[in-house]
Each structure stands twice: as C-alpha cells, then as structure tokens.
Amino acid sequence: MAANYRVTVNLEEAEYRELTAISQKHRVSLAWLGRKAMVEFLERFEQDELQLPLILAPERPETAGQG
C-alpha cells in the first residue's frame, strides 16, 4: 500500500532510543512502528476505549480560569 500522507513527530532522546531498540529487535522500521501505533490509537478511539488527556475545544472566555 502506497502512503499518501506524511507525519513528522519530535521525540525525546530516550523515546527515540527505546523505539530504535524495538525496531531493531523485531526487524521493522521506525515508520512501521509509528503507523502501527497510530492505527491502534484510532481503533481504540473509535471504540471509546480512549480518554484523551487533551482539551479538544478552546475554553470560552467566561469560564476560563474557573474551577
């Protein structure tokens, strides 16, 4: 399957080392690991098994700073 889109991510040095070790151990590319992780993320998100620790909508000015 040909890829149509490219995503770039920045990793901490330790994350890069760990991912590189996994890719070498299992003889897969870092790109394959990234795609696999993103596909699994999407599957979990679609099944409502994932709670994002992100605020996906901006706070309204009248509620910002409350609570």
Side-chain angles (χ1 to χ4, degrees):
M1 169 174 53
N4 295 319
Y5 300 95
R6 181 176 301 267
V7 175
T8 303
V9 297
N10 296 319
L11 301 171
E12 298 291 330
E13 184 177 346
E15 295 165 337
Y16 180 77
R17 276 196 317 266
E18 289 181 53
L19 288 170
T20 299
I22 292 169
S23 72
Q24 291 173 350
K25 178 180 178 180
H26 296 281
R27 296 182 179 169
V28 296
S29 68
L30 286 172
W32 185 92
L33 286 177
R35 283 190 301 274
K36 180 71 171 164
M38 287 184 238
V39 167
E40 288 186 15
F41 172 88
L42 291 172
E43 289 170 353
R44 289 177 59 198
F45 188 79
E46 289 171 358
Q47 296 171 7
D48 291 328
E49 295 179 11
L50 187 65
Q51 170 125 13
L52 292 176
L54 305 172
I55 298 171
L56 298 178
E59 289 186 3
R60 295 187 310 205
E62 63 270 14
T63 62
Q66 296 178 2

